[in-house]
Amino acid sequence: MEYGPFSHSRKMKLVLISPKGPLYRKRGGIFKRSLRYQPLTLTTLAALTPKDLPIDITLIDEGISEIPADLQADLIGLTVITGTAPRAYELADQFRAKGIPVLLGGPHVTLLPEEAAEHADSLCVGYAEQTWPQLIHDFIAGNLQKIYRQDPNFDLSDTTLPFPERHRFNREDFLTQAVFEATRACAHNCEFCVAPTAWGRKQFQHPVDWIIQDIRQFVERTGKRKLIFVDLNLVSDIGYAKQLFTALIPLKVQWFGLSTVLIAHNYELMELMARSGCKGLLLGLETVTSGSLKDAGKKFNSSVNYKELIGTLHKLGISIQGCFVFGLDHDTVDTFDATVELAIDAGIDLPRFSILTPFPATPLYQRLEQEQRILTKDWSLYDAQHVVFQPKLMTVQELEEGHERAWKKIYQYNNIVRRLWNAKNFQPLAITANLGYRFYAHNLHKFYTCDWPIEHRPSAIDVIKG
């Protein structure tokens, strides 16, 4: 479908949508808001939209609000992750049938542009800081291209890049708006990770001064001093990390972020993190099985004693969300209980479990497809909580049931007490978070469903049987 030049007699109406997925839907009951922090994608795109053009921007996160049936737009953009791809394609087809041009972007589009192209007038592949303004100018001029690819010389060093327009969402709809990103990508090459396949292993870094300025203006505007860094690996570049942490100290903020366990080999860095205000880290512990670490491409984790690392971080006042993945090739039915016991013994403040997911185009997906172990290509099941491949040392049902059993066991009341006792963490926030996760652990079947017809979301077991 072709579209002519946009009329300058009125404002262009641009609508940016994050389609709903199987988790984090706004619900009643004890959850009065979305269970997640406010995402940066849409607010960043809004900020990058040229301010010298007459454009009215609307942001819709379908996880917190419905899309109006009578939605009017001149251009609609949808950001797509693998789990939301079917929903995104459904929406895109509906909009295009009404004559509204549709742009698709995001990780899934970057991984599978040929698939996404069947549902879009244009694609945005890769990071968009340099391509988004050009795309908007092209659309207004009636010259929208079929695809916009990440600039070969892409970087984030431009100090004039605008800050995300976080205010465009109602802060009451999220756990927090205080979400920041200093870097993108990660130097490691884990087999199951989307990042190296989609964007490569070179880390892109915002200037430290830019990050500090963004945080400062947010704190001044909102008064909030508890922040989340969503960087995949905030300490990938030790030199950069030290500069950032040093610059954070005068701001007197508290922050939470992601790191690999390799920080265990650098006590000076851990101490600096604590001084800079770090109060919590998400660590990719992945597995208690050494052979499985090699499977995942995270053999470097075996150089670290998890219990000693967590103990050190606790002494520095840093809580731990420890993430484990089930279903690696060396995992057996004994892995679930062993993982739970490690989490209790190590005093992990907030354990989290997921099922190994071979996201499309990743080395894991390619290997499992070659081994004919991919069971379904229903992307809506690719949410790290459904089994979409044939495990090696257990059945599909054993993996699904073991995963759910681990969630329920680790969040039994007595095990919550044991973990927090070992962690010496009796803060109200830790107790509240654990009780929230306990509710979640006993309602997995409710959270991992979608609002569209159930026949579109069979379990992996049904796929095998069917």
Side-chain angles (χ1 to χ4, degrees):
M1 192 178 297
E2 295 184 359
Y3 304 91
F6 183 79
S7 172
H8 286 272
S9 62
R10 63 180 178 84
K11 279 190 174 184
M12 167 190 164
K13 186 167 180 56
L14 171 64
V15 178
L16 300 176
I17 300 174
S18 178
K20 62 184 173 184
L23 184 55
Y24 299 131
R25 293 290 291 135
K26 187 174 182 179
R27 299 174 182 278
I30 68 169
F31 296 116
K32 300 301 183 183
R33 65 179 74 180
S34 171
L35 292 175
R36 59 177 174 162
Y37 49 75
Q38 182 178 295
L40 284 172
T41 302
L42 300 189
T43 55
T44 297
L45 291 175
L48 291 169
T49 303
K51 296 299 185 279
D52 60 331
L53 298 176
I55 300 175
D56 178 48
I57 303 173
T58 298
L59 305 187
I60 300 176
D61 186 325
E62 211 183 2
I64 61 171
S65 61
E66 301 300 325
I67 297 174
D70 59 348
L71 180 67
Q72 300 294 315
D74 297 299
L75 176 64
I76 292 179
L78 295 102
T79 180
V80 188
I81 61 174
T82 298
T84 64
R87 176 61 174 169
Y89 295 160
E90 175 189 355
L91 290 172
D93 293 345
Q94 291 175 5
F95 295 140
R96 297 179 80 204
K98 296 178 180 178
I100 303 174
V102 171
L103 163 72
L104 295 179
H108 188 77
V109 173
T110 298
L111 292 171
L112 295 179
E114 294 83 6
E115 175 189 281
E118 298 178 11
H119 305 274
D121 298 281
S122 182
L123 301 180
C124 195
V125 174
Y127 296 133
E129 268 73 5
Q130 278 85 34
T131 53
W132 182 256
Q134 184 60 52
L135 182 155
I136 297 299
H137 278 286
D138 287 351
F139 175 75
I140 286 182
N143 190 34
L144 185 67
Q145 304 299 302
K146 292 292 186 183
I147 190 166
Y148 292 83
R149 294 189 180 276
Q150 179 179 318
D151 192 303
N153 299 316
F154 176 85
D155 65 53
L156 294 173
S157 63
D158 184 358
T159 57
T160 66
L161 283 174
F163 303 134
E165 296 180 355
R166 300 176 181 86
H167 63 278
R168 286 185 174 272
F169 281 117
N170 182 350
R171 67 183 182 184
E172 299 303 322
D173 287 332
F174 299 93
L175 288 179
T176 181
Q177 281 188 318
V179 179
F180 298 85
E181 181 186 54
T183 67
R184 292 184 194 165
C186 176
H188 298 296
N189 195 29
C190 304
E191 186 186 36
F192 56 73
C193 185
V194 167
T197 301
W199 304 292
R201 296 170 63 183
K202 175 185 176 182
Q203 188 183 60
F204 303 104
Q205 302 167 342
H206 282 294
V208 169
D209 288 346
W210 187 92
I211 293 296
I212 297 302
Q213 188 179 351
D214 187 21
I215 294 172
R216 196 186 304 275
Q217 61 88 26
F218 177 83
V219 171
E220 290 175 352
R221 180 171 61 85
T222 67
K224 305 294 184 182
R225 291 185 176 273
K226 291 184 178 180
L227 322 173
I228 294 177
F229 282 104
V230 293
D231 306 51
L232 293 176
N233 182 6
L234 196 55
V235 297
S236 183
D237 180 332
I238 300 299
Y240 177 88
K242 287 183 176 180
Q243 291 179 42
L244 176 62
F245 300 155
T246 301
L248 285 172
I249 293 173
L251 298 186
K252 300 186 184 305
V253 295
Q254 295 181 358
W255 63 269
F256 304 79
L258 291 75
S259 171
T260 67
V261 299
L262 290 178
I263 56 172
H265 304 307
N266 194 329
Y267 183 78
E268 178 191 1
L269 181 63
M270 289 190 285
E271 191 176 40
L272 181 58
M273 293 173 80
R275 288 173 52 212
S276 71
C278 180
K279 293 299 179 182
L281 283 178
L282 184 153
L283 296 178
L285 304 176
E286 314 308 359
T287 181
V288 298
T289 310
S290 58
S292 290
L293 284 175
K294 184 177 180 181
D295 296 337
K298 297 195 76 166
K299 193 175 180 180
F300 58 82
N301 271 31
S302 62
S303 69
V304 175
N305 182 303
Y306 290 169
K307 186 175 180 180
E308 289 182 3
L309 170 60
I310 293 167
T312 299
L313 291 169
H314 280 157
K315 289 177 182 177
L316 290 169
I318 299 174
S319 298
I320 301 301
Q321 181 172 49
C323 295
F324 297 90
V325 59
F326 295 132
L328 293 159
D329 279 357
H330 282 76
D331 287 356
T332 69
V333 291
D334 296 325
T335 300
F336 306 107
D337 285 340
T339 304
V340 168
E341 288 307 311
L342 172 73
I344 295 171
D345 187 47
I348 295 176
D349 305 81
L350 206 63
R352 183 170 179 173
F353 305 127
S354 64
I355 291 174
L356 182 68
T357 302
F359 290 103
T362 61
L364 175 62
Y365 184 92
Q366 294 172 346
R367 177 170 67 82
L368 293 182
E369 187 169 45
Q370 187 176 30
E371 296 172 2
Q372 298 185 327
R373 293 168 60 190
I374 298 294
L375 300 176
T376 177
K377 295 184 181 180
D378 176 358
W379 302 135
S380 65
L381 294 172
Y382 282 60
D383 55 13
Q385 301 293 314
H386 287 88
V387 183
V388 297
F389 71 101
Q390 178 58 55
K392 195 166 188 177
L393 299 180
M394 65 183 99
T395 66
V396 170
Q397 186 168 356
E398 286 172 335
L399 178 51
E400 287 191 334
E401 292 178 350
H403 167 251
E404 186 167 356
R405 185 172 67 253
W407 268 107
K408 291 180 178 179
K409 186 174 181 180
I410 198 67
Y411 285 102
Q412 290 175 350
Y413 287 122
N414 64 316
N415 287 334
I416 291 175
V417 172
R418 289 173 62 196
R419 281 189 293 100
L420 295 183
W421 178 267
N422 290 338
K424 301 296 186 289
N425 186 355
F426 311 110
Q427 297 183 37
L429 179 60
I431 297 171
T432 301
N434 271 272
L435 293 178
Y437 264 54
R438 173 183 162 80
F439 179 87
Y440 165 86
H442 285 79
N443 290 273
L444 289 177
H445 62 288
K446 295 180 181 178
F447 286 106
Y448 279 90
T449 58
C450 287
D451 292 343
W452 55 94
I454 192 66
E455 60 265 23
H456 295 310
R457 288 192 56 79
S459 72
I461 294 175
D462 292 330
V463 172
I464 298 167
K465 291 178 179 177

